[in-house]
Amino acid sequence: MLTIYNRKKVKVALLPTTGQNTQASEVTKTRRLNSDYQLTFMIPMIFDNYKELELEGLIECEGQNYIIKDIKRNRQGLGINALITCKHIMNRLLDIKIPYESAIDESFGADISSLTNIITAATGGVFTFQIMDVFPLKDVYKWGSSNCLKAFQDLVTLYKVEFIPDNYNIKLYNKININNGMQYRIKKNIVEDSYETNTSAICTRITGLAKDSLTIINLPSSYLTADELSRLNAIPGAIVSGIIKVPYLVSQYAAAWSTPDNAYFDSEFEATDIDASDEAGKVLLLEEMRKKLAASEIPDIQISMNAADLWKIDTEEIRPQLGETVYLIDRDLEIDNIQARVMEITEYPFAPDKHTQVTLANFLLRDTNSIIADLHASKDTLDGLLTNKSLNTSRFEASARQALIDINNSKTELIYPPEGGILAQDKNNHLNQVRLTAAGLGISTDGWNTVDAAITANGIAAKVIVGILGDLVQLRANQIVVGDSGEQITDDLLASAANWNGKTTLITSQGVYTGTVQANQVIANSLSAISANLGTITAGTVTGATIETAIAGQRVIMDILGLRTFDSNSKQRISISTSGNYGVSGIDFNDENGNYRGSMFSLASSGLRILSQGDMLIFASGGTLYLRDLIDFTGAVLSGFGTDKVGGLDTALAGKATKNASTSTFTQPNHDHGIDAGTQLMTVGGGYVTWVPSGGFSHSHTQT
């Protein structure tokens, strides 16, 4: 999501960057260490939010504010779009001038904070600085006579600062020291990479020139390290009576890089801010020489790569940062755990399908579009050329000399034919030619009798195109063949997928023929005749497929018949089938010979049924078997079920009479219940009955 602010820094709109309501597309962030940060994006002009974009307004992206500096409108067919280019808010420093009274003409032993305080005051406190490391004191000359950005860049150069802008707060470091152990590995997060080693700037003997071209000559050798002293002692006359008599230091790698043509790779630099007229100044110059030599005594390494943004899908993955130290492994390119720093990053933060472009190096990239070069190129040149108010022409002479060398070198291969254009002819084989005309660019290997490849307004014509073509909007071809030599595909190879692996790749209108396909995602309406090790599959619905955990032996199979398990002897043991042994869907069980033994299924009329063909054992090993609710034993024949199988039943029966046992005889004698015999008792209705006493009885019975 991007946020739009107007020139008054008032939030006016949001620009969605993902989903169905996307308005801002192609969002790209480009950052280079100690240079400018840039943000670009596209927006269709039909959106109302486009009208909220105004020059010098702000765009917020991932917490950082950018100034809208350029709006380029473009029509493509029926679509009208605008390309928005923004610079980091730090560029506001360019528009604020250092007050005349705050400029420094000359200051000795100045602390870096004294200069940052002047810049902060000039901006009215809007921009602040955090000094994260300890910086040595420096002598300052002619500083602050321009805008705040120029003053800041001079400060960066003078104190050798690395900085990170965080909106209006700028953090200053000796060296950004971030090391999270991040690795770039081929087959993990490297999509494509290139590796360059360059000795153009290598130096094994360096000379330092201070103000007025003074050097370290006559400095006591006690200021040298033991290694430095040892290397200079090996040179006759370099050290005399404990005094340095040469203006240079020798690298520890001098012997390794020496050639029959030259024992040293010489270089020199000017440090006009150092006054080496006394011993203290010479010591400062010596320290600068050490730093310069350490930075240039090994080849420059530069690695460019497209790196998969794993952090977009896994929050535990590391997102690269400017200045971070990383480790690289791509042994095919002779990159074996090389350590380098992230110097430039081009990111597509809202596009999961686009990879970050990272440039790594062991030196600070030379940036022709640095934060102030385009506005102050001429002034910077003059400042560098003027030394103590005298004009130093060495840079002009070096540039002119190099220009003559380049022109003479070009003449060895470039020809300007009478018919026009430019013809480049191989010095070793004159039949190999490249011709550039207004019609296009052509390449020939037979002296221009035929053209092997050409680039014209109609497109690219070539037998084989090798390399990185970039983002293609549209590719038209009857057949695309990918292989070491662009070999043709024979019919027998097309007919036999088994012979395909390791051959080449063919893309036609009928499909893609290849050995191995690696992809983060494959989307298809239908897949057929697949035989592959698919690894982990995450999918919504798989229809009409047979799934086997193994080809033979112990395995599980799921297909149109159901789910079946097989033991190590390939005998089917359990089946969850669509139509089981009794014609209904259920679970069937087989014995170790694969013979049917029982089923479990349910019917609406009779509920859940468990059937066994043969014996059935219900066994609760070491536990209790519980039966609940009503139990119907109709039609059941029980065996081995005695009274001892029912807890407490024997005890209860022990108190009962046994079968065929006779009770004792009970005799009741004659009795009248206290009423004399013959007594007349009146009844309801006026009659009477006569009381007769009982004659007595005896009673006993037999238990059945």
Side-chain angles (χ1 to χ4, degrees):
M1 181 73 73
L2 302 180
T3 305
I4 304 176
Y5 295 83
N6 61 20
R7 294 190 192 100
K8 303 297 183 182
K9 296 170 66 173
V10 176
K11 180 179 176 180
V12 293
L14 296 175
L15 286 179
T17 55
T18 58
Q20 296 181 347
N21 298 321
T22 297
Q23 296 185 18
S25 61
E26 303 295 329
V27 180
T28 305
K29 289 171 55 179
T30 302
R31 296 173 292 154
R32 174 175 280 193
L33 185 62
N34 272 24
S35 184
D36 195 12
Y37 290 17
Q38 180 172 285
L39 172 72
T40 62
F41 62 91
M42 296 284 292
I43 180 173
M45 295 172 64
I46 60 173
F47 287 127
D48 292 338
N49 283 341
Y50 164 74
K51 300 175 183 177
E52 302 293 344
L53 298 168
E54 56 184 23
L55 292 173
E56 297 302 314
L58 300 180
I59 295 292
E60 182 183 339
C61 176
E62 295 191 307
Q64 294 296 307
N65 293 325
Y66 296 82
I67 310 167
I68 301 175
K69 284 293 186 180
D70 184 79
I71 301 177
K72 183 179 181 180
R73 302 152 187 89
N74 184 36
R75 177 186 295 277
Q76 292 180 325
L78 299 178
I80 51 174
N81 300 291
L83 173 63
I84 312 300
T85 301
C86 311
K87 299 290 186 180
H88 192 271
I89 193 66
M90 182 182 66
N91 277 262
R92 285 275 193 246
L93 291 171
L94 182 64
D95 305 316
I96 305 172
K97 183 173 177 57
I98 298 287
Y100 176 78
E101 61 274 13
S102 299
I104 296 176
D105 185 57
E106 186 177 64
S107 177
F108 300 103
D111 188 273
I112 189 173
S113 62
S114 64
L115 304 189
T116 58
N117 290 340
I118 292 174
I119 298 175
T120 297
T123 65
V126 173
F127 285 90
T128 59
F129 298 86
Q130 281 184 267
I131 301 173
M132 312 302 293
D133 294 321
V134 177
F135 292 88
L137 303 180
K138 293 286 185 178
D139 295 340
V140 181
Y141 303 95
K142 306 296 182 183
W143 180 87
S145 59
S146 184
N147 59 66
C148 289
L149 190 58
K150 175 65 167 64
F152 176 63
Q153 181 64 15
D154 290 343
L155 176 154
V156 167
T157 302
L158 178 61
Y159 289 89
K160 296 176 175 58
V161 170
E162 290 186 359
F163 64 87
I164 298 178
D166 183 8
N167 288 325
Y168 296 95
N169 181 258
I170 302 173
K171 298 179 180 180
L172 309 182
Y173 301 83
N174 279 320
K175 180 179 180 180
I176 297 171
N177 188 20
I178 303 174
N179 191 337
N180 295 317
M182 182 175 183
Q183 287 188 348
Y184 285 105
R185 285 177 173 268
I186 194 69
K187 297 184 179 179
K188 180 197 174 187
N189 55 358
I190 295 179
V191 178
E192 56 184 30
D193 57 343
S194 64
Y195 171 40
E196 177 184 352
T197 52
N198 190 312
T199 59
S200 297
I202 199 168
C203 169
T204 59
R205 187 170 65 179
I206 193 165
T207 299
L209 300 177
K211 182 179 179 181
D212 297 327
S213 298
L214 295 177
T215 68
I216 60 172
I217 291 177
N218 294 328
L219 179 68
S221 62
S222 58
Y223 287 102
L224 298 174
T225 66
D227 288 340
E228 291 169 343
L229 180 60
S230 174
R231 289 191 288 272
L232 287 183
N233 271 328
I235 302 173
I239 304 293
V240 178
S241 300
I243 301 297
I244 301 174
K245 291 300 181 180
V246 291
Y248 53 76
L249 289 178
V250 176
S251 167
Q252 58 184 318
Y253 303 112
W257 286 108
S258 65
T259 72
D261 300 324
N262 57 316
Y264 302 103
F265 288 84
D266 280 305
S267 180
E268 69 177 30
F269 70 94
E270 296 178 357
T272 56
D273 59 322
I274 296 177
D275 183 359
S277 58
D278 56 14
E279 186 171 298
K282 292 181 183 295
V283 171
L284 290 177
L285 180 60
L286 177 64
E287 292 175 353
E288 282 299 306
M289 293 170 65
R290 286 171 178 156
K291 293 178 184 179
K292 297 285 188 182
L293 184 59
S296 57
E297 64 183 352
I298 58 176
D300 290 341
I301 296 174
Q302 181 169 334
I303 301 173
S304 301
M305 70 174 69
N306 283 355
D309 291 337
L310 300 183
W311 56 268
K312 292 180 181 177
I313 56 177
D314 186 350
T315 56
E316 294 184 357
E317 290 290 341
I318 301 172
R319 183 176 184 177
Q321 304 178 62
L322 275 182
E324 181 174 4
T325 299
V326 298
Y327 303 87
L328 298 101
I329 300 175
D330 185 351
R331 293 185 175 90
D332 292 338
L333 289 186
E334 300 178 346
I335 305 175
D336 192 358
N337 204 29
I338 286 179
Q339 178 177 318
R341 299 178 69 206
V342 178
M343 292 298 181
E344 184 174 10
I345 303 177
T346 299
E347 290 183 305
Y348 310 92
F350 307 110
D353 58 332
K354 286 193 173 184
H355 304 300
T356 296
Q357 298 173 14
V358 182
T359 299
L360 310 168
N362 62 349
F363 61 95
L364 194 63
L365 297 180
R366 297 168 177 84
D367 188 1
T368 57
N369 295 309
S370 64
I371 56 179
I372 51 123
D374 53 341
L375 293 178
H376 298 281
S378 59
K379 186 178 186 304
D380 289 346
T381 301
L382 287 176
D383 286 346
L385 292 174
L386 289 174
T387 302
N388 197 26
K389 297 184 179 181
S390 62
L391 187 62
N392 184 342
T393 62
S394 60
R395 294 192 183 183
F396 289 128
E397 294 171 356
S399 298
R401 184 165 54 251
Q402 187 60 46
L404 290 174
I405 292 172
D406 293 341
I407 292 172
N408 289 330
N409 287 341
S410 72
K411 289 180 179 179
T412 62
E413 293 191 352
L414 296 183
I415 301 172
Y416 298 89
E419 61 271 21
I422 301 174
L423 177 66
Q425 185 172 265
D426 192 331
K427 292 184 294 185
N428 299 319
N429 186 349
H430 290 182
L431 296 178
N432 295 333
Q433 299 178 0
V434 178
R435 176 171 290 187
L436 175 64
T437 68
L441 179 69
I443 301 172
S444 175
T445 57
D446 59 2
W448 209 249
N449 291 317
T450 61
V451 178
D452 297 303
I455 301 176
T456 68
N458 295 325
I460 301 175
K463 295 178 181 178
V464 178
I465 299 178
V466 180
I468 300 172
L469 294 180
D471 296 330
L472 300 179
V473 177
Q474 188 178 59
L475 178 63
R476 297 180 181 178
N478 294 327
Q479 184 182 97
I480 300 175
V481 179
V482 182
D484 293 337
S485 303
E487 55 267 32
Q488 295 299 308
I489 309 303
T490 58
D491 292 338
D492 61 328
L493 190 57
L494 289 173
S496 175
N499 295 330
W500 194 268
N501 201 36
K503 301 296 182 180
T504 185
T505 296
L506 171 67
I507 305 174
T508 70
S509 59
Q510 284 72 41
V512 178
Y513 302 85
T514 189
T516 301
V517 177
Q518 295 183 356
N520 292 330
Q521 184 180 40
V522 177
I523 300 175
N525 293 328
S526 64
L527 297 173
S528 61
I530 295 177
S531 177
N533 180 3
L534 299 179
T536 300
I537 300 176
T538 302
T541 302
V542 178
T543 303
T546 296
I547 299 176
E548 291 183 303
T549 59
I551 300 299
Q554 187 172 345
R555 65 193 187 279
V556 177
I557 298 177
M558 185 172 67
D559 57 15
I560 192 173
L561 299 178
L563 181 73
R564 291 163 288 152
T565 67
F566 294 80
D567 60 18
S568 58
N569 295 320
S570 293
K571 299 296 185 182
Q572 179 177 316
R573 300 303 300 272
I574 301 174
S575 170
I576 303 177
S577 58
T578 55
S579 179
N581 196 67
Y582 289 92
V584 295
S585 179
I587 304 176
D588 291 343
F589 301 90
N590 295 356
D591 60 20
E592 67 274 14
N593 297 317
N595 299 320
Y596 169 76
R597 285 301 180 190
S599 299
M600 179 185 296
F601 58 89
S602 62
L603 297 174
S605 59
S606 56
L608 179 65
R609 292 193 173 195
I610 302 176
L611 305 179
S612 173
Q613 184 172 312
D615 295 337
M616 177 187 293
L617 173 63
I618 302 177
F619 180 46
S621 177
T624 302
L625 181 65
Y626 294 93
L627 299 176
R628 298 189 58 180
D629 298 325
L630 298 178
I631 301 175
D632 185 354
F633 287 102
T634 301
V637 177
L638 302 179
S639 63
F641 190 79
T643 58
D644 60 327
K645 302 300 183 182
V646 181
L649 181 59
D650 283 344
T651 302
L653 292 176
K656 306 295 180 180
T658 59
K659 184 178 181 180
N660 296 326
S662 296
T663 62
S664 58
T665 302
F666 175 77
T667 302
Q668 176 68 43
N670 294 337
H671 60 282
D672 57 10
H673 296 282
I675 303 174
D676 295 334
T679 301
Q680 292 183 337
L681 301 174
M682 185 173 291
T683 64
V684 179
Y688 65 88
V689 295
T690 300
W691 180 262
V692 179
S694 171
F697 64 90
S698 295
H699 173 74
S700 68
H701 67 271
T702 300
Q703 186 70 34
T704 60

